[in-house]
């Protein structure tokens, strides 16, 4: 397969099989022999087409009326419209590539693809002006209307639009330097030697942003650096772990925060990393080994059952990085816009509540639960914490960070709240 054929295949996997975009892209790239430019184009094509699906379908709709289009053909057209609208690729090249890849499957369908795309270029683009501002934002940034309604009720349309604009940008990769293997200065020197541009984070201690696929670098393979969003890095820093702490990371996979906690304590804190999925335990085990923190104790169990494993008041600190709607990470997991539903959020909120209630007795008096999510939905964040405090007056809120995906630095939307168990 060439780059565009593989991109169409990957888009189909994400949109039809609800696959994760970042994992899908990495899987395809791992089995390809693409050079750097082809890898970059493939990544751009897949992310861009998925991210702008609603808008692309809106543009395509007038040209598909009355036509029976197979799903794979529509994905070819989606990929083509994305290139025509968002990339500086000559239209003739876009159409030629689309026609040639379609011919391989169905010669007659290639004529339809050719006709649709040429007609699209000749016709004035359908306007959004007659729609309400909310509908325009929904289509232009490919957010389901119910999601726009939800966020508008919490932040107002101006802020929602800022977040949409931010999530539509191609962001650099956020990395964290591993202090037990290297220093930030040493990493900078190596990046300088490789002529890779980077920018220092003003948000976290050991963060850099780079415009490069660092997974191929020796400093990544050796565990000197790891990929981790700055907002995610803020969690371990907010917990201020010490070498004497006994810590539980209750929903740990893929393990980035557990590793960070271990690094901040020079691998001396006692850390338990839990996840319900055995295959994720294996992934964490490999990741911890690469990062030089393989002393972390792994637990393959539903976190809601841990109160049957540990004695009450066993932990100094408990991190509940809870399952959530993921509305803060749409810049690199845009498929969430199409897979998340209001019913799913209702179920997620119940799970979050159960996690807090089942783990609260495991933290000692004077110790804290750190509740975090990668969503900007207040129902899963502030309101979840408020409900917990209302029902558990022996806990108090010490710290709360609300991070919106807006600003000069690349950062996910995130929520962090410290709930300290009062000393009786």
């Amino acid at each position: 397969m060439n780059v565009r054929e593989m991109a169409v295949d990957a888009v189909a996997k994400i949109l039809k099989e609800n696959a994760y975009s970042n994992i899908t892209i990495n899987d395809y790239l791992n089995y390809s022999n693409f050079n750097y430019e082809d890898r970059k184009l493939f990544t751009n094509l897949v992310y861009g087409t998925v991210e702008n699906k609603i808008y692309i379908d809106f543009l395509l709709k007038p040209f598909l009326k009355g036509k029976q289009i197979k799903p794979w053909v529509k994905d070819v057209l989606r990929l083509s419209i994305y290139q025509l609208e968002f990339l500086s690729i000559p239209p003739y090249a876009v159409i030629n590539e689309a026609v040639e890849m379609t011919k391989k499957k169905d010669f007659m369908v290639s004529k339809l693809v050719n006709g649709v795309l040429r007609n699209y270029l000749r016709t004035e683009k359908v306007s959004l002006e007659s729609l309400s501002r909310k509908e325009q934002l929904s289509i232009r940034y490919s957010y389901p209307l119910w999601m726009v309604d939800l966020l508008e009720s919490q932040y107002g349309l101006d802020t929602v639009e800022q977040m949409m604009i931010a999530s539509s940008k191609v962001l650099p990769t956020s990395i964290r330097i591993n202090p037990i293997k290297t220093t930030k200065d040493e990493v900078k020197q190596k990046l300088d030697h490789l002529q890779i541009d980077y920018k220092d984070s003003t948000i976290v201690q050991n963060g850099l942003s780079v415009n490069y696929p660092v997974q191929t670098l020796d400093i990544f393979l050796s565990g000197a650096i790891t990929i981790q969003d700055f907002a995610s890095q803020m969690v371990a820093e907010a917990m201020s772990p010490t070498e004497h702490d006994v810590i539980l990371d209750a929903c740990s996979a893929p393990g980035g925060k557990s590793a960070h906690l271990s690094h901040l304590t020079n691998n001396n804190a006692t850390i338990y990393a839990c996840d319900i999925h055995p295959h994720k335990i294996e992934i964490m085990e490999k990741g911890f080994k690469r990062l030089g923190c393989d002393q972390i104790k792994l637990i393959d169990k539903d976190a809601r059952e841990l109160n049957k494993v540990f004695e009450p008041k066993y932990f100094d600190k408990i991190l509940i990085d809870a399952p959530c709607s993921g509305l803060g990470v749409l810049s690199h997991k845009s498929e969430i816009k199409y897979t998340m539903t209001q019913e799913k959020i209702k179920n997620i909120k119940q799970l979050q509540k159960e996690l807090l209630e089942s783990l609260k007795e495991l933290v000692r008096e004077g110790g804290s639960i750190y509740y975090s999510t990668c969503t900007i939905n207040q129902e899963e964040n502030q309101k979840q914490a408020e409900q917990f405090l209302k029902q558990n007056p022996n806990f108090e809120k010490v710290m709360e960070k609300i991070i919106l995906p807006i600003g000069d630095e690349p950062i996910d939307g995130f929520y962090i709240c410290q709930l300290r168990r009062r000393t009786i």
Side-chain angles (χ1 to χ4, degrees), residues 12 31 72 146 157 172 199 205 207 228 249-250 267 276 287 292 322 334 338-339 359 366 372 390 400 413 422:
Y31 290 100
W72 70 269
W146 72 263
L157 270 185
K199 190 173 181 180
Q205 180 182 355
Q228 189 174 12
D249 185 354
N267 284 348
I276 193 173
S334 55
Y338 319 121
T339 58
L359 294 169
S372 67
K390 186 177 180 179
E400 185 176 52
R422 298 178 192 271

Side-chain angles (χ1 to χ4, degrees), residues 366-379:
S368 293
I369 291 175
Y370 292 82
Y371 174 75
S372 67
T373 73
C374 59
T375 188
I376 52 175
N377 177 19
Q378 294 175 5
E379 294 176 2

Side-chain angles (χ1 to χ4, degrees), residues 130-144:
S130 63
L131 304 176
S132 68
R133 184 186 176 196
K134 192 185 299 183
E135 290 171 322
Q136 289 184 34
L137 291 177
S138 169
I139 293 171
R140 183 65 188 84
Y141 295 102
S142 293
Y143 277 63

Side-chain angles (χ1 to χ4, degrees), residues 44 51 55 103 113 126 147 165 209 262 278 282 329 380:
N44 194 344
E51 180 184 340
Y55 181 52
K103 277 182 182 178
V113 168
V126 60
M147 198 175 285
I165 292 171
S209 58
S262 187
E282 294 178 12
V329 295
E380 301 170 66

Side-chain angles (χ1 to χ4, degrees), residues 234-235 237-238 399-403 414-418:
M234 291 174 68
V235 176
E237 290 189 5
M399 174 276 296
E400 185 176 52
K401 291 181 183 291
I402 301 159
I403 305 156
F414 230 82
Y415 177 76
I416 310 168
C417 185
Q418 180 184 357

